[in-house]
C-alpha cells in the first residue's frame, strides 16, 4: 500500500477549487479517498472539477459557487461547507489573482481589487475558520501566499504587497492559535505553470504544478509552518532579501 493510500480520510474544504494548484492537490486527495467541499466562482469549471474528483475516488464531493470577494457571505458559506463535510480537518485557502500591475499603477480601483482578493478576502475567511478551529482545538489552515510577498518589486508590488500582508497575517494567526491545537501554514510558491502564469516570459522554466501539488499534499499532512515550494525558493528569497536597498532599487526585477 502506498504512503498516500495509507493515510486516514480527511475532510477538506478547498477555497478557490478551480485553481491549477487546487485541482492537482484535489486529485491527490481524491485518489486516497478524502472528503472534499469545493468553493469556486465559475459554476462550469467547478462542475467539471467536482465530477473529475468524484471519478478519481473522493469519498464525498460537495460544492458551492461563490465569489470569495464577497466577505459578507463568508460566515454562511463556511458554516454550510463544514456542515456538509460533517466537520473540518483541513481548509485550503488557495484563491488568488495576479491581475495587471500596469493597470493597478494607473488606476487605484484595479489595485484595490487585487489587495481585496489577495489579502482582505483570505483574512476574512481565516478569521472565521481560525475561531471555528480554535473552539474545537483541531484543524489545519493551509494558506497559499507567495514568494512575491517577501520583497516588493516593480513588476508586481501591488499583488506582492497583498501577499506580504497575507504572510504576516498567517504568521500572527499561527502565533495565536498554535497553542489551541490549530495548525496555520504559510505556503510560499515560486513561479508555477498554471493559468495564472500562462503566456509569461520563461513559463516553460517554471515549476510543474503536479510536482508542487505532491509537495503541498505531503506538507499539509504534516502541518508544516512555512513551506517554500519548490524548496530552492527559500534560498533564492534569502539572497533577494539580502540585496542592499541602494542596489535593489536600481534593478529591473
Ligand atoms: N502560479 C504561480 O506562479 C503562483 C506563485 C505564487 C503563488 N501563487 C498563488 O497560488 C494560488 C493558486 O494560484 P494558481 O497558480 O493555481 O492560479 P490559478 O489557476 O489562476 O488560480 C487562481 C484561482 O483563484 C480563483 N479566484 C480568484 N478570485 C476569486 C474570487 N473572488 N472568488 C473565488 N475564486 C477566486 C480563480 O477563479 P477563476 O478561475 O474563477 O478566476 C482561480 O481558480 C493563488 O493564491 C496564487 O496567488 C501562484
Amino acid at each position: 500500500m502506498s504512503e498516500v493510500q495509507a493515510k486516514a480520510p480527511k475532510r477538506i474544504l478547498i477555497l478557490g477549487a478551480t485553481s491549477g494548484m487546487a485541482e492537482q492537490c484535489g486529485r491527490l486527495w481524491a485518489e486516497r479517498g478524502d472528503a472534499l467541499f469545493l468553493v469556486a466562482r465559475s459554476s462550469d469549471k467547478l462542475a467539471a472539477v467536482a465530477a473529475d474528483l468524484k471519478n478519481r475516488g473522493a469519498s464525498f464531493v460537495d460544492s458551492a459557487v461563490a465569489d470569495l470577494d464577497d466577505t459578507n457571505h463568508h460566515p454562511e458559506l463556511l458554516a454550510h461547507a463544514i456542515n456538509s463535510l460533517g466537520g473540518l480537518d483541513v481548509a485550503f485557502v488557495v484563491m488568488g489573482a495576479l491581475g495587471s500591475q500596469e493597470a493597478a499603477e494607473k488606476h487605484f480601483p484595479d489595485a484595490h481589487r487585487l489587495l481585496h482578493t489577495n489579502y482582505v478576502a483570505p483574512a476574512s475567511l481565516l478569521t472565521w475558520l481560525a475561531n471555528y478551529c480554535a473552539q474545537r482545538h483541531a484543524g489545519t489552515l493551509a494558506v497559499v501566499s507567495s514568494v512575491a510577498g517577501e520583497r516588493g518589486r516593480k513588476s508586481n508590488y501591488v499583488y506582492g504587497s497583498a501577499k506580504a500582508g497575507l504572510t504576516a497575517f498567517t504568521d500572527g494567526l499561527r502565533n495565536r492559535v498554535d497553542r489551541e491545537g490549530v495548525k496555520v501554514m504559510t505556503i510560499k510558491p515560486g513561479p508555477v505553470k498554471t493559468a495564472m502564469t500562462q503566456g509569461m516570459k520563461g513559463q516553460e522554466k517554471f515549476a510543474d504544478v503536479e510536482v508542487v501539488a505532491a509537495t503541498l499534499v505531503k506538507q499539509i499532512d504534516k502541518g508544516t509552518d512555512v513551506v517554500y515550494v519548490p524548496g530552492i525558493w527559500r534560498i533564492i528569497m534569502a539572497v533577494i532579501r539580502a540585496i542592499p536597498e541602494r542596489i535593489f532599487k536600481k534593478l529591473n526585477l
Side-chain angles (χ1 to χ4, degrees):
M1 190 182 281
S2 75
E3 196 189 333
V4 165
Q5 286 167 330
K7 306 273 184 209
K10 290 196 164 144
R11 297 159 297 182
I12 303 176
L13 167 60
I14 308 181
L15 295 150
T18 54
S19 98
M21 273 183 223
E23 206 180 333
Q24 291 302 324
C25 289
R27 288 179 178 185
L28 298 175
W29 285 322
E31 281 160 14
R32 69 185 195 188
D34 287 338
L36 306 171
F37 193 101
L38 314 175
V39 180
R41 64 181 167 184
S42 153
S43 56
D44 290 353
K45 281 197 239 170
L46 182 58
V49 171
D52 177 55
L53 297 182
K54 190 78 197 149
N55 279 339
R56 285 171 190 268
S59 53
F60 172 85
V61 180
D62 194 1
S63 62
V65 176
D67 182 343
L68 292 170
D69 281 344
D70 182 359
T71 57
N72 289 332
H73 283 116
H74 286 176
E76 190 190 339
L77 170 72
L78 295 170
H80 167 70
I82 292 172
N83 188 42
S84 173
L85 277 174
L88 182 75
D89 297 305
V90 175
F92 188 37
V93 181
V94 61
M95 43 51 108
L98 187 58
S100 160
Q101 168 69 22
E102 205 186 337
E105 285 171 16
K106 293 190 175 130
H107 188 233
F108 184 70
D110 286 350
H112 190 263
R113 244 195 318 278
L114 281 185
L115 298 173
H116 186 89
T117 301
N118 292 301
Y119 176 64
V120 176
S124 163
L125 293 168
L126 289 167
T127 298
W128 194 97
L129 288 166
N131 290 334
Y132 172 87
C133 290
Q135 273 177 8
R136 286 155 188 81
H137 304 290
T140 298
L141 307 179
V143 185
V144 182
S145 185
S146 174
V147 295
E150 300 232 332
R151 192 160 189 182
R153 295 179 290 126
K154 71 174 193 171
S155 60
N156 71 355
Y157 67 82
V158 177
Y159 167 81
S161 66
K163 291 294 196 181
L166 185 57
T167 291
F169 192 95
T170 54
D171 289 345
L173 192 60
R174 180 163 50 249
N175 186 224
R176 182 191 132 204
V177 298
D178 181 76
R179 67 202 68 190
E180 306 289 346
V182 183
K183 293 187 162 136
V184 178
M185 300 176 61
T186 313
I187 296 165
K188 301 180 186 182
V192 183
K193 284 181 217 157
T194 64
M196 187 171 278
T197 56
Q198 191 75 50
M200 265 188 196
K201 208 172 139 208
Q203 206 220 22
E204 67 287 353
K205 297 189 200 120
F206 294 177
D208 288 321
V209 68
E210 294 83 359
V211 175
V212 167
T215 301
L216 291 184
V217 165
K218 242 185 221 162
Q219 296 300 330
I220 291 170
D221 281 342
K222 291 185 194 162
T224 309
D225 296 332
V226 178
V227 178
Y228 286 83
V229 58
I232 184 72
W233 281 89
R234 185 182 289 275
I235 297 163
I236 295 172
M237 292 319 295
V239 171
I240 288 181
R241 284 196 311 273
I243 299 172
E245 198 53 45
R246 67 177 187 286
I247 297 170
F248 195 80
K249 70 184 177 188
K250 301 202 188 299
L251 300 178
N252 281 316
L253 293 170

